[in-house]
Amino acid sequence: MKFLEYQVKERFKTAGIPVPEGRLARTPDEATRAAGALGPIAIKAQVPVGGRGKAGGIKLARTPAEARVMAQDVLGMTIKGYEVQEVWCETLVEIARELYLGLTLDRDQRLLVLILSAQGGMEIEDVAAQHPEAIARLHPDPWRGPQPYEIRELIFGAGLGPLQAALVPLVMKLYSLARTLDGITVEINPLAVTQDGGLVAADGKLEVDDNAIFRHKDLVGAEEAGEDPLEAEAKRRHLTYVRLDGTIGVIGNGAGLVMNTLDLVQQQGGRAANFLDIGGGAKADVVHNALELLAMDPRVRGILINIFGGITRGDEVAKGIIEARRDLGLKLPLVVRMTGTREAEGRKLLEAAGVAPEVTATAAARKIVELASRG
Amino acid sequence: MSILLSRQSRVLVQGLTGREGTFHTEAMRAFGTTVVGGVSPGKGGTTHLELPVFDTVAAAVQATGADVTGIFVPAPFAADAIMEAAAASIPLIVCITEGIPLHDMVRARAFVAQQGSRLIGPNCPGLVTAGEAKVGIIPNHINRPGPVGIVSRSGTLTYEVIQGLSQAGVGQSTSVGIGGDPILGLSFKEVLTLFRDDPATKAVVLIGEIGGSDEEVAADEVIARDFGKPVIGFISGRTAPPGKRMGHAGAIISGNRGTAQSKVEALTRAGAKVCDTIEDVVAAAQATIT
């Protein structure tokens, strides 16, 4: 689960991480009032994507009158497909220096890693590539958590010794926020050093582990607001779906198998319109549900279904396909590749319904690309 | 011979009495696996599928001498189940459960390492030593004993390879699904090392996918260093756009790290033959063995 900037900053504030004072505005009137109360402000579009500044989604307003004009500009803008419905109005911070502080998962070490850099503000990946000496890492023991001496090593390692008194408690707070919320990415970037030497989280990111949402039922994230309509519909249908940019709808069981199916479609000269994994043991109704979703996508010119029956049964999948075609009046070309458990029964059902199943995934991909390009 | 699992293995099932545990325990026994009992807290002293049920892993190990456990408990309790097995010193822990919170897994994995147990998974299909024993959910009928070792991050794609090889007359020694999560127990590197030292394994098929750098590490640190056996590689997710999460919590690319290209290059550089399709993997394995 991801969060908008203001939601992240509210969490930071609760965790004791200093943030600029701010207010949320949904109308130019509200932004005008915020400027009246806060003085000079930054007006920041609240969208769950990066690159807002470049897109014109961040403006500075010195007066309430300016704030009204700026808010009128930003509200209603579309940034990378997301319509701006809210702006965060916050006190301007006089920044002397920009640092980076983050926590994420290190898959290779199988641990969480704290990352501190003396150069924040820009893409941390670029800093890592060009100035590796400016980045320090700490893999805290997951049971003990980071100890102050380890955090001091991190700070001195990043060349930020003079800031250690303020940084040690800040790193502690960031780590405990991540632990408390099951945060798998928590970032303060830039972590601003102000003119008077204080530390302020000028911007922040938070991603909470979707697997742990069951123990954070109170959390409200950003996703429902600006999400792709097909991905939102998929979520309502409890389907694992990712929208891609091609024209071949793909359904399969198992993430690896579906990813491989996308690769095969491309090898045959087509482009997949989506990733859709119906998982293990899917029954006819899940297949029906998945086909119904793809039928809503106007870009889809043909559908490829690739099933390996382990726990999933071929006859169940065939039933779902046949029912969905009938109920939805599906006219799109459809190619099914099916193997494994109850393969023979599934094939018989499909053949009787006029869908000839393919034996290999490669052949199936070739056929759907051909049929879709004809339509 | 084979790796990790044999017909001598004595297998415990944590979550035996649940729907998944029941279904797959029956399949495991039908395969020939020696299942010695199950653990379901609160149901100790009863029997299920004519197997003794225990309240705790420690009691189960004491009574049955189990040396492998398969975990089929729901995600919120699975990390605890892994730690309970490690605390009872079970040498091999196989966790099938999908969706375990990552913070839980980071802690559980560290604990397992400290106890000296081996963990496979989580979010994995388990492992099979063809003709001998199976722990997990890999379909029974596709396996055929033979000389090829398989190690894979995917579930269904593993079944594809096993079935393809079997149909082509190429049998398997052990097939290991290491799982698709970001935080895993055994890595490609560790499983490849076991295959290297196993006389029954003559060639290895490695099925990787985008995300993380386990494939690169295995290529550089094991395959490139006198591995002594042919390795056939395959990477799925070559066309996945960066930054998109493809179902597996693991299958996400960030920047240049963990891309399909980087994995293909590392494997090729190490001397593995990297194939574009599963059909090619099967053909390459067949050519290697015959």
Side-chain angles (χ1 to χ4, degrees):
Chain A
M1 183 185 272
K2 290 184 177 166
F3 298 84
L4 296 169
E5 179 194 4
Y6 81 91
Q7 296 169 324
V8 177
K9 285 186 167 162
E10 281 169 0
R11 292 283 161 184
F12 280 178
K13 197 173 175 183
T14 312
I17 297 169
V19 291
E21 205 183 331
R23 291 186 183 188
L24 193 66
R26 292 185 176 82
T27 63
D29 273 352
E30 286 175 5
T32 311
R33 281 199 292 278
L38 299 171
I41 54 170
I43 292 176
K44 301 164 95 176
Q46 296 300 293
V47 284
V49 287
R52 290 176 302 171
K54 272 187 195 153
I58 299 178
K59 307 231 187 237
L60 304 182
R62 296 276 158 196
T63 64
E66 270 180 37
R68 178 180 298 278
V69 177
M70 303 294 181
Q72 268 163 354
D73 277 359
V74 176
L75 284 163
M77 268 176 90
T78 302
I79 300 176
K80 293 184 184 171
Y82 291 91
E83 194 192 337
V84 180
Q85 293 171 345
E86 300 162 323
V87 290
W88 181 241
C89 305
E90 78 180 8
T91 309
L92 284 177
V93 181
E94 298 297 330
I95 299 178
R97 190 176 179 192
E98 294 186 333
L99 315 178
Y100 172 95
L101 174 63
L103 173 144
T104 191
L105 266 188
D106 183 336
R107 300 173 54 137
D108 297 333
Q109 297 295 321
R110 271 82 161 139
L111 289 168
L112 293 168
V113 59
L114 281 160
I115 302 167
L116 178 65
S117 169
Q119 295 182 29
M122 58 169 147
E123 287 297 314
I124 191 70
E125 289 88 352
D126 295 340
V127 179
Q130 288 154 26
H131 303 283
E133 74 288 349
I135 294 191
R137 294 177 177 80
L138 166 63
H139 294 91
D141 177 280
W143 292 96
R144 195 178 58 217
Q147 298 302 302
Y149 78 89
E150 295 172 309
I151 298 174
R152 285 197 302 274
E153 286 172 358
L154 177 79
I155 295 166
F156 283 101
L160 292 169
L163 292 169
Q164 59 148 326
L167 271 172
V168 171
L170 191 74
V171 174
M172 282 288 198
K173 284 169 186 165
L174 184 92
Y175 182 83
S176 75
L177 174 71
R179 285 280 313 143
T180 311
L181 285 183
D182 280 288
I184 47 173
T185 300
V186 190
E187 259 184 359
I188 306 177
N189 187 31
L191 170 58
V193 182
T194 56
Q195 300 292 2
D196 58 6
L199 293 171
V200 178
D203 199 355
K205 272 203 190 99
L206 170 63
E207 182 175 0
V208 168
D209 183 4
D210 288 329
N211 289 344
I213 294 297
F214 69 87
R215 54 189 175 206
H216 304 287
K217 293 215 166 74
D218 57 319
L219 276 184
V220 179
E223 256 139 330
E224 299 304 331
E227 197 171 65
D228 176 272
L230 279 165
E231 291 188 352
E233 179 62 30
K235 189 174 277 177
R236 278 191 286 278
R237 292 165 178 261
H238 304 289
L239 292 168
T240 307
Y241 173 95
V242 179
R243 184 174 173 163
L244 303 171
D245 58 6
T247 57
I248 310 286
V250 172
I251 297 174
N253 64 329
L257 182 89
V258 182
M259 273 197 291
N260 182 43
T261 312
L262 308 182
D263 295 350
L264 288 173
V265 167
Q266 185 145 333
Q267 276 169 22
Q268 297 300 327
R271 301 272 303 163
N274 64 278
F275 167 101
L276 203 174
D277 175 12
I278 56 169
K283 293 274 194 281
D285 58 328
V286 177
V287 180
H288 189 293
N289 195 7
L291 272 169
E292 202 166 41
L293 176 71
L294 294 200
M296 290 177 188
D297 185 344
R299 305 166 307 147
V300 170
R301 297 268 176 76
I303 297 174
L304 173 57
I305 302 180
N306 186 8
I307 301 295
F308 192 107
I311 329 171
T312 313
R313 289 164 35 174
D315 54 346
E316 280 287 338
V317 173
K319 271 185 220 162
I321 294 170
I322 292 162
E323 283 164 18
R325 268 183 93 211
R326 192 191 53 216
D327 297 353
L328 302 169
L330 209 60
K331 297 281 190 293
L332 289 168
L334 176 72
V335 173
V336 182
R337 183 270 179 156
M338 183 185 284
T339 184
T341 308
R342 302 233 183 179
E343 175 184 335
E345 290 88 336
R347 288 176 163 279
K348 203 182 279 179
L349 288 171
L350 287 173
E351 275 160 11
V355 181
E358 290 289 330
V359 178
T360 70
T362 308
R366 188 179 309 131
K367 190 166 172 191
I368 193 62
V369 170
E370 188 196 311
L371 290 176
S373 65
R374 239 188 261 163
Chain B
M1 277 292 284
S2 53
I3 65 165
L4 297 164
L5 188 69
S6 74
R7 62 169 60 85
Q8 277 78 43
S9 300
R10 297 176 63 76
V11 178
L12 189 68
V13 176
Q14 287 171 260
L16 172 71
T17 56
R19 192 170 54 96
E20 297 287 314
T22 300
F23 180 84
H24 292 291
T25 301
E26 285 181 322
M28 280 154 55
R29 293 173 93 186
F31 191 83
T33 313
T34 305
V35 180
V36 294
V39 175
S40 291
K43 294 185 181 162
T46 64
T47 59
H48 184 71
L49 308 175
E50 296 170 1
L51 289 166
V53 179
F54 301 88
D55 287 322
T56 67
V57 175
V61 169
Q62 197 175 18
T64 66
D67 54 9
V68 180
T69 181
I71 297 178
F72 292 90
V73 310
F77 317 110
D80 187 50
I82 291 170
M83 291 193 286
E84 186 181 5
S89 301
I90 295 188
L92 181 64
I93 303 165
V94 183
C95 184
I96 307 304
T97 309
E98 181 180 353
I100 303 178
L102 293 165
H103 280 258
D104 294 4
M105 263 322 296
V106 167
R107 291 183 151 205
R109 206 208 81 97
F111 182 72
V112 169
Q114 187 195 319
Q115 294 291 309
S117 294
R118 281 184 171 133
L119 170 66
I120 296 179
N123 188 15
C124 78
L127 75 166
V128 179
T129 293
E132 298 198 29
K134 149 180 133 164
V135 176
I137 62 175
I138 295 174
N140 285 3
H141 65 279
I142 59 176
N143 307 277
R144 166 184 177 140
V148 176
I150 299 176
V151 57
S152 170
R153 254 164 76 182
S154 159
T156 34
L157 214 50
T158 314
Y159 313 161
E160 286 265 14
V161 176
I162 298 174
Q163 174 170 279
L165 289 174
S166 294
Q167 284 173 351
V170 181
Q172 306 90 42
S173 54
T174 303
S175 301
V176 186
I178 60 172
D181 268 15
I183 304 296
L184 292 175
L186 290 191
S187 61
F188 279 124
K189 179 183 165 178
E190 291 155 316
V191 178
L192 279 168
T193 307
L194 295 170
F195 277 134
R196 184 192 64 199
D197 301 338
D198 172 36
T201 301
K202 307 294 183 202
V204 178
V205 172
L206 181 156
I207 308 293
E209 67 187 27
I210 52 170
S213 53
D214 263 15
E215 290 85 352
E216 289 92 327
V217 170
D220 295 346
E221 297 180 14
V222 188
I223 302 172
R225 296 186 186 171
D226 297 322
F227 190 68
K229 297 176 183 183
V231 176
I232 297 152
F234 178 84
I235 302 295
S236 75
R238 293 189 187 204
T239 56
K244 290 259 185 180
R245 210 171 280 261
M246 296 289 173
H248 276 182
I252 183 167
I253 333 181
S254 330
N256 292 324
R257 210 156 139 274
T259 60
Q261 195 192 347
S262 130
K263 292 173 193 300
V264 170
E265 281 171 9
L267 287 167
T268 307
R269 201 167 53 232
K273 177 175 172 52
V274 182
C275 297
D276 289 337
T277 66
I278 297 294
E279 287 96 331
D280 291 349
V281 169
V282 171
Q286 200 172 20
T288 306
I289 292 308
T290 50

